[in-house]
Amino acid sequence: MEFLKSAVASAISKGPAFGYSLGDRVDLSDSIWALHNGTKKEDGSKCSVFVFDINTNKSRLPIAKNALRKWRTLRHPGVVRVLDTLETDTLIYVATERVVPLGWHVKRNALNTETIKWGLYTISTTMRFINEDASSIHGNLRVSSIYTTESGEWKLAGFEVLSSLKEEDPAIYTYGGLLPDSSRYAAPEISRSGWDGLKNQAIHVTDSWNMGTLIYEIFNGYFTSSDQLTQAKSIPPPMAAPYKRLTQANPKMRLPIAHFLEQGKRSGGFFDTPLIRCSEFIENMGVKDEREREEFLQNLEDTKDQFPEEFFKAKVLPELLKSVEYGGGGPKVFSVVLMIAEKLSDEEWETEITPAVVRLFSSPDRAIRVFLLDNLPKMIDHLSKKVVSDSIFPQLVTGFSDVAPIVREQTVKSILVIINKLSDRQINGDLLKYLAKTQNDEQPGIRTNTTICLGKIAKNLGGHTRSKVLTAAFTRSLRDPFVHARNAALMALAATADVFDETDCATKCLPAICPALIDKEKIIRTQAQKTLDVFLARVRTLTANMPDSALPPVDANGLPNAAGVGGTGAPRMGTPQAESGWTGWAISSFTKTLGSVTGEMQPQGSGVSTPAEENGNTLGLAPPITSQPGNSSSRPGSSRSASASDLHRQAMSNPASPPKKSNTSSNNNFMMDEIDDDDMDAWGDMDDTPKTVAEKPKAVAASRNTGFGKTMVTEDDVINSFTSKPKSALPKGLGKKAPTAGLSSTAVKSSKPAVSRAVASKPAAKKPAPVKPKAAEADGDAWGTDNWDVDWK
């Protein structure tokens, strides 16, 4: 075999150019032709090449040339299709479509009954054409003359003695005996009278006999004598009677193949099968109406397991694709296409289905678009990233703006399928732009699905846009009037909590979630609680390793220690664990701090003398303050020093006595220096109703209206300054200048006229410009407008 193959290749190289290359030999021995697999040199497409070696078969050269001549001119769907031929002095080549001998399947018993019926129907149709339309005799109808294509169809060849009775010298009469194993397949009349005896017989007699032998061999295997043909054996009962008429010894009683075909095609006949009806319909699908097409598709789905896979792939699939694209087949036809495509390899998918899918996405037919989007999960694994991003996505996004809601909704859902095959530019650019549009869609279902889509593709978004986009999208959905849209936003937030940092969790997500806790719908309240728990856990995790304080260490005098050593580093407020009541810790911390403070209290830079200085310490406050070591400033003329603990003991020992003169501004600065901004923010949000002046002892209330503007700062005042809310809803800096921190509004109002009268009666002594404590500056900034610039809508 290798020698023959090399000889053939050598002959081809020496002879005229032949555009096909030979591969392995695949034929059987009972033919004059050597069959090779081949490829077309131009494009590498598959083919088969029949080769006749003249040097080794010179006696059969006449029938080889007759076959070549008939093959070139005979055109019929049931005939092996010829691509090209070449005749040299030593070889004859016939390049055809890719085929394999039917004998392969017969010897392996690999054919089922339905497939055999379909094949016999095809051969009978071809033979009717040869006998009746072409007025010819085939004369070589046997298993070795039949081949199967890649679609599973049976095709006829073996035209060595094909003869037309209109010819002057038909080849069959002269060369019929040159056929391999001719005596075994010869009809009884030929065995008796030779091939010349056919001149006195009807045109169909020898082919009808051979049709009978073909049926026998396909169902029962090869026979050795004509006596075996009388036993039907495995031939299907409906076909048994016509078979016996085909193998009648008397040629005049022999059934023509055309009549055999007609009997089989009758309703309920042996050729009335789903597979045969399907093949017939496929051939004429372009001229069928919609009702007939729907009936065919239904039958095809019901009987798909009876069909050879090759038939579906190579025969049905191309015709269905033509019907979808050009024949108005629509989604129903394409559903059958996908059913067949499930059995295709990736290479076959890319060749057969992908080009059609790309073309269909550009179709304006909404039914086709919806079907494609709905079935995209079945196709996406077979579509390359380049095809999706370059060809499908630009067409798919047009659905976001379609007037039909079903198209917009299916387009949103399809994003989850193709997201992994899009580029970063497409995801963070075009896609987010379209999703922002659908999140404001008039259809609540589309808004809901958009939120779900964003939650599911969060990992695919760019790091610089993810948090911003998701926060804006989900908080918007939380305000949606559609309950399922709000629920989707809460679930999406819970699912994507890990993409937010601690700042976004605390300042954006949690404030947006909290209103849902009191939603009118229970489903929202329940989900809001779950989502809130997720974010609280997220915040705890993110802040677990944060330092206890961002403030620098302080030394023994309470001043910042830049070196970070030598100071206590202790917080300025105590801890609540050691106290019994919820207010006890604040009071005790305040008193403990007062007892440990030393040094002079700093005057405020108001440019106005304090009442204590003007009245010579006549209201029972602490003695005049003198300069202490370590203090940065002192008051001239003062002779005594007052400690903070003395001030506290005096205030606690006589709470009902009229308030004594005090440096209100200094006290206030002290308190502001001792309380963290975070504490004030936390307490200031509470809704507790503060005590009013009328609820306090009358003596204290009266002392605040003495006309001197001298107010004693008590412990109640400190607590009230934390818990009470200002009358104005505006934070400090947005309205009138806020009163000094640490004083109630009543005290501030009562102090203003007294200070004015004091200034009028006695000019202020010229003093050095005071230095404003840093703690007071920090506290004042903390209540500025910047920290209130939050959109709570």
Side-chain angles (χ1 to χ4, degrees):
M1 183 179 294
E2 291 297 328
F3 171 77
L4 177 61
K5 182 177 177 181
S6 60
V8 169
S10 176
I12 291 177
S13 62
K14 294 179 181 178
F18 189 57
Y20 299 87
S21 301
L22 272 66
D24 297 332
R25 183 171 177 174
V26 295
D27 68 329
L28 300 176
S29 59
D30 55 350
S31 174
I32 68 171
W33 300 93
L35 178 62
H36 294 260
N37 285 331
T39 55
K40 190 175 182 179
K41 294 179 180 178
E42 183 179 356
D43 56 8
S45 58
K46 297 178 181 180
C47 68
S48 292
V49 181
F50 290 82
V51 182
F52 179 79
D53 189 350
I54 297 176
N55 294 328
T56 59
N57 289 285
K58 284 185 179 182
S59 61
R60 291 173 173 167
L61 180 59
I63 60 176
K65 288 188 175 183
N66 182 70
L68 179 62
R69 184 171 63 255
K70 296 298 183 180
W71 222 341
R72 285 171 174 170
T73 58
L74 188 61
R75 292 289 184 266
H76 189 272
V79 173
V80 176
R81 180 165 55 92
V82 177
L83 303 177
D84 196 5
T85 63
L86 177 65
E87 186 176 359
T88 69
D89 295 337
T90 57
L91 296 168
I92 297 176
Y93 308 105
V94 181
T96 69
E97 60 184 315
R98 175 62 66 89
V99 294
V100 295
L102 178 63
W104 279 18
H105 307 293
V106 173
K107 286 190 173 183
R108 292 186 292 112
N109 196 24
L111 300 171
N112 58 49
T113 301
E114 293 301 317
T115 303
I116 292 174
K117 289 180 180 180
W118 174 45
L120 290 175
Y121 172 79
T122 304
I123 298 301
S124 299
T125 304
T126 307
M127 289 303 303
R128 181 183 63 178
F129 166 77
I130 292 175
N131 291 160
E132 295 190 353
D133 298 340
S135 299
S136 300
I137 301 173
H138 188 278
N140 189 29
L141 183 58
R142 59 180 75 174
V143 172
S144 60
S145 299
I146 299 174
Y147 299 86
T148 60
T149 65
E150 290 183 311
S151 64
E153 296 175 278
W154 291 13
K155 297 269 182 108
L156 185 61
F159 302 122
E160 287 81 343
V161 293
L162 177 64
S163 305
S164 173
L165 297 182
K166 298 178 182 179
E167 296 175 352
E168 295 181 0
D169 187 16
I172 191 171
Y173 301 150
T174 305
Y175 303 110
L178 296 178
L179 292 171
D181 208 3
S182 61
S183 60
R184 184 163 66 93
Y185 290 100
E189 63 273 14
I190 296 176
S191 300
R192 292 190 302 263
S193 306
W195 291 92
D196 288 341
L198 293 178
K199 295 178 181 179
N200 301 322
Q201 301 294 335
I203 194 173
H204 69 275
V205 292
T206 187
D207 288 335
S208 294
W209 174 268
N210 290 147
M211 187 70 185
T213 60
L214 174 65
I215 293 173
Y216 182 90
E217 288 188 330
I218 289 175
F219 283 107
N220 301 294
Y222 293 100
F223 69 96
T224 56
S225 66
S226 58
D227 294 338
Q228 295 176 257
L229 301 177
T230 59
Q231 301 175 5
K233 292 186 178 180
S234 300
I235 297 174
M239 196 183 293
Y243 160 75
K244 290 181 179 180
R245 292 191 60 188
L246 289 171
T247 56
Q248 281 286 339
N250 185 355
K252 293 182 179 180
M253 299 293 294
R254 206 167 291 159
L255 181 69
I257 296 177
H259 293 178
F260 172 77
L261 179 62
E262 290 300 326
Q263 290 183 19
K265 289 177 64 177
R266 292 173 185 172
S267 179
F270 49 85
F271 285 154
D272 186 19
T273 66
L275 181 54
I276 294 174
R277 289 195 298 268
C278 174
S279 63
E280 287 289 295
F281 190 93
I282 287 294
E283 297 290 343
N284 304 287
M285 179 177 286
V287 297
K288 301 295 184 180
D289 58 29
E290 185 176 354
R291 182 188 61 79
E292 293 175 318
R293 188 183 293 115
E294 290 182 2
E295 182 179 355
F296 159 72
L297 294 175
Q298 183 61 45
N299 293 333
L300 189 62
E301 292 181 2
D302 295 340
T303 60
K304 62 181 182 295
D305 296 334
Q306 301 178 13
F307 294 83
E309 291 185 12
E310 296 81 6
F311 174 71
F312 269 109
K313 293 178 183 179
K315 186 67 177 179
V316 178
L317 186 59
E319 296 297 329
L320 292 179
L321 288 174
K322 290 179 185 177
S323 177
V324 173
E325 294 189 64
Y326 312 112
K332 293 183 179 179
V333 176
F334 198 73
S335 64
V336 181
V337 170
L338 293 181
M339 178 189 69
I340 299 172
E342 291 177 356
K343 300 180 180 180
L344 298 180
S345 63
D346 290 340
E347 293 76 13
E348 291 170 332
W349 235 97
E350 185 176 358
T351 303
E352 301 291 337
I353 309 297
T354 298
V357 171
V358 172
R359 290 192 296 268
L360 288 175
F361 262 105
S362 61
S363 172
D365 189 344
R366 286 195 178 93
I368 288 290
R369 172 61 66 86
V370 171
F371 181 84
L372 289 172
L373 295 174
D374 200 26
N375 289 272
L376 200 55
K378 298 179 181 178
M379 302 184 287
I380 193 63
D381 291 337
H382 302 284
L383 300 173
S384 66
K385 184 174 182 179
K386 179 176 178 58
V387 169
V388 173
S389 61
D390 295 350
S391 302
I392 293 180
F393 182 73
Q395 298 295 335
L396 182 145
V397 295
T398 60
F400 284 112
S401 304
D402 196 88
V403 296
I406 183 64
V407 177
R408 301 198 301 273
E409 183 172 8
Q410 292 292 57
T411 303
V412 172
K413 292 179 180 179
S414 69
I415 296 303
L416 300 179
V417 180
I418 68 171
I419 188 66
N420 292 325
K421 297 197 174 183
L422 299 180
S423 65
D424 292 339
R425 178 186 59 81
Q426 289 173 321
I427 295 174
N428 297 287
D430 297 340
L431 179 58
L432 289 182
K433 178 182 70 175
Y434 285 112
L435 290 178
K437 191 174 183 180
T438 55
Q439 204 190 24
N440 287 322
D441 197 276
E442 60 182 8
Q443 297 294 326
I446 296 177
R447 300 196 301 268
T448 303
N449 286 331
T450 301
T451 301
I452 296 172
C453 178
L454 284 169
K456 289 182 177 292
I457 68 172
K459 299 294 185 182
N460 301 94
L461 300 180
H464 62 288
T465 60
R466 181 188 300 130
S467 178
K468 180 179 179 181
V469 169
L470 296 184
T471 303
F474 295 158
T475 53
R476 177 191 296 172
S477 294
L478 285 173
R479 301 189 298 270
D480 197 296
F482 188 52
V483 60
H484 297 293
R486 302 198 299 276
N487 194 44
L490 290 169
M491 290 190 293
L493 278 168
T496 59
D498 57 339
V499 306
F500 300 100
D501 59 22
E502 63 273 17
T503 302
D504 287 340
C505 287
T507 63
K508 297 179 181 178
C509 298
L510 285 173
I513 295 169
C514 287
L517 296 170
I518 57 172
D519 195 276
K520 295 181 180 179
E521 301 294 334
K522 183 178 180 180
I523 184 177
I524 302 300
R525 298 194 298 272
T526 303
Q527 184 59 47
Q529 185 61 57
K530 296 178 181 178
T531 305
L532 185 68
D533 294 340
V534 171
F535 272 87
L536 289 177
R538 171 74 174 159
V539 171
R540 293 189 191 101
T541 302
L542 293 172
T543 58
N545 297 324
M546 293 178 67
D548 293 343
S549 175
L551 297 177
V554 295
D555 58 16
N557 295 323
L559 297 177
N561 186 355
V565 294
T568 62
R572 290 174 294 173
M573 290 287 291
T575 56
Q577 287 82 356
E579 308 297 339
S580 59
W582 73 271
T583 57
W585 68 272
I587 298 172
S588 63
S589 296
F590 177 71
T591 55
K592 290 176 183 178
T593 306
L594 285 178
S596 62
V597 173
T598 59
E600 291 188 355
M601 297 174 64
Q602 300 296 325
Q604 295 297 306
S606 60
V608 181
S609 61
T610 61
E613 293 171 333
E614 296 173 6
N615 294 287
N617 193 27
T618 60
L619 294 180
L621 285 177
I625 300 173
T626 59
S627 176
Q628 297 292 332
N631 289 332
S632 59
S633 62
S634 62
R635 293 193 193 130
S638 298
S639 59
R640 297 179 60 186
S641 64
S643 69
S645 58
D646 293 337
L647 174 64
H648 174 66
R649 284 193 297 271
Q650 184 175 358
M652 294 299 292
S653 63
N654 189 17
S657 63
K660 303 299 181 178
K661 180 175 64 175
S662 66
N663 191 330
T664 303
S665 178
S666 297
N667 284 334
N668 180 48
N669 286 335
F670 163 75
M671 288 187 295
M672 293 300 293
D673 188 48
E674 292 297 321
I675 306 300
D676 284 337
D677 292 341
D678 291 341
D679 296 326
M680 295 188 68
D681 289 343
W683 287 102
D685 289 339
M686 294 184 64
D687 241 349
D688 296 335
T689 304
K691 290 183 179 180
T692 61
V693 176
E695 294 174 344
K696 296 181 180 180
K698 294 181 180 180
V700 175
S703 68
R704 296 185 178 182
N705 293 288
T706 56
F708 293 99
K710 305 157 190 168
T711 304
M712 180 69 177
V713 180
T714 65
E715 297 172 26
D716 287 341
D717 288 334
V718 174
I719 297 174
N720 286 338
S721 69
F722 286 4
T723 58
S724 62
K725 295 183 178 180
K727 293 183 179 180
S728 173
L730 293 175
K732 180 180 178 180
L734 297 185
K736 293 182 178 181
K737 186 175 180 182
T740 304
L743 293 180
S744 65
S745 58
T746 305
V748 172
K749 289 181 180 179
S750 62
S751 65
K752 285 182 179 179
V755 172
S756 300
R757 284 191 295 272
V759 171
S761 60
K762 186 176 181 180
K766 188 173 181 180
K767 299 178 180 180
V771 179
K772 188 175 183 180
K774 293 183 179 180
E777 292 178 357
D779 290 339
D781 292 341
W783 287 92
T785 57
D786 291 342
N787 288 344
W788 289 82
D789 188 13
V790 180
D791 184 10
W792 295 96
K793 296 182 180 179

